[in-house]
């Protein structure tokens, strides 16, 4: 089955700097890669996703890149702000195949003032 | 409803007790997932329904865990003879039909189970 590895587990960046979180997956058939943000005590919420037919997707300060050959994908947050502090989870699944979404263990992002 | 509703939000059980956790997905969402999230960890897959059919239960940690969705809407996760290692937040999520190519999960707020 699919296995998703995520690193780093904790990341501290100065406000205004960029943050990068990296994930790898094991199943080459996976074709859908969402990222979820979970604030303390709250539910995970989708912030961006990418499908295997594209290599990069951007939404304002957030971008995700995908390297299918290497089976890794990354989340990039630019111009970080205090509200970006949260735990971020990457995930992988086989869309359109009734397949479960497998999550990484998460990255706790701290934005330092 | 407007979102995924879970109840109870908090449950304290003595070891050995049975518990039942309820999930009310977004109206019309075909797919329903249960995840277990231990403190400081990512959501771990438990089981998945498409309508009333349980398509995958490979993540259920033992035969003490049972889930059902008899009418293809509300789902219940039951844990029998609870153990301390069952303490976690149990997250329910729903998504629209996978045939539409939209495997986007909307999570509920979770049920936090503490087993003493």
């Amino acid at each position: 089955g699919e296995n998703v590895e995520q690193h780093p587990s904790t990341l501290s960046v100065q406000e205004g700097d960029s943050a990068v979180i990296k994930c790898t997956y094991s199943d080459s058939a996976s074709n859908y890669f969402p990222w979820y943000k979970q604030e303390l005590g709250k539910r995970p919420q989708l912030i961006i996703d990418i499908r295997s037919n594209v290599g990069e997707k951007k939404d304002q300060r957030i971008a995700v890149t995908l390297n299918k050959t290497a089976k890794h994908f990354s989340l990039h947050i630019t111009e970080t702000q205090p509200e970006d502090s949260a735990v971020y989870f990457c995930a992988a699944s086989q869309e359109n195949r009734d397949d479960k979404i497998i999550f990484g263990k998460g990255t706790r992002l701290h934005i330092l003032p | 409803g407007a979102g995924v509703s879970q109840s109870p939000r908090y449950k304290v059980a003595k070891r050995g007790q049975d518990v039942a956790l309820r999930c009310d997905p977004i109206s019309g969402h075909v797919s329903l997932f249960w995840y277990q999230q231990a403190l400081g960890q990512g959501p771990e897959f438990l089981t998945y329904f498409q309508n009333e059919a349980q398509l995958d239960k490979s993540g259920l940690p033992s035969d003490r865990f049972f889930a059902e969705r008899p009418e293809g809407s509300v789902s219940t996760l039951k844990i029998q003879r609870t153990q301390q290692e069952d303490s976690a937040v149990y997250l329910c999520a729903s998504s629209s039909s996978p045939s539409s190519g939209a495997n986007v999960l909307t999570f509920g707020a979770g049920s936090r189970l503490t087993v003493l």
Side-chain angles (χ1 to χ4, degrees), chain A residues 36 38 95-96 98 100-101, chain B residues 35 37 50 56 98 101 105:
Chain A
Y36 284 79
Q38 188 175 30
E95 199 173 44
N96 299 330
D98 298 349
K100 54 188 175 283
I101 294 180
Chain B
Y35 287 85
Q37 187 175 27
Q50 190 176 101
D56 190 334
L105 296 182

Side-chain angles (χ1 to χ4, degrees), chain A residues 41, chain B residues 6-13 21 88-89 109-114:
Chain B
Q6 290 189 247
S7 61
R9 287 293 315 279
Y10 303 92
K11 176 68 179 178
V12 179
L21 308 176
V89 175
S111 292
R112 181 180 296 278
L113 172 64
T114 303

Side-chain angles (χ1 to χ4, degrees), chain B:
Chain B
V4 178
S5 298
Q6 290 189 247
S7 61
R9 287 293 315 279
Y10 303 92
K11 176 68 179 178
V12 179
K14 292 183 179 179
R15 192 173 61 179
Q17 280 185 330
D18 297 349
V19 299
L21 308 176
R22 175 190 167 105
C23 174
D24 199 342
I26 291 175
S27 178
H29 273 196
V30 169
S31 301
L32 185 146
F33 300 77
W34 283 99
Y35 287 85
Q36 180 191 61
Q37 187 175 27
L39 191 64
Q41 299 295 313
E44 296 275 352
F45 171 80
L46 294 177
T47 186
Y48 159 54
F49 292 85
Q50 190 176 101
N51 295 308
E52 69 278 6
Q54 190 173 21
L55 298 187
D56 190 334
K57 55 180 181 179
S58 61
L60 295 176
S62 76
D63 58 8
R64 296 186 295 104
F65 286 71
F66 172 78
E68 61 183 4
R69 193 186 185 199
E71 297 178 0
S73 180
V74 171
S75 177
T76 303
L77 177 66
K78 298 179 179 178
I79 309 173
Q80 297 178 321
R81 305 181 302 283
T82 51
Q83 303 293 317
Q84 284 188 322
E85 61 263 27
D86 299 335
S87 296
V89 175
Y90 291 85
L91 292 167
C92 175
S94 68
S95 73
S96 55
S97 170
S99 64
S100 70
N103 206 7
V104 175
L105 296 182
T106 300
F107 282 90
S111 292
R112 181 180 296 278
L113 172 64
T114 303
V115 181
L116 303 177

Side-chain angles (χ1 to χ4, degrees), chain A residues 45-58:
Chain A
Q45 292 195 305
L46 179 74
I47 55 171
I48 195 168
D49 56 16
I50 191 167
R51 292 174 171 84
S52 59
N53 57 344
V54 297
E56 183 173 357
K57 184 177 178 180
K58 196 171 183 180

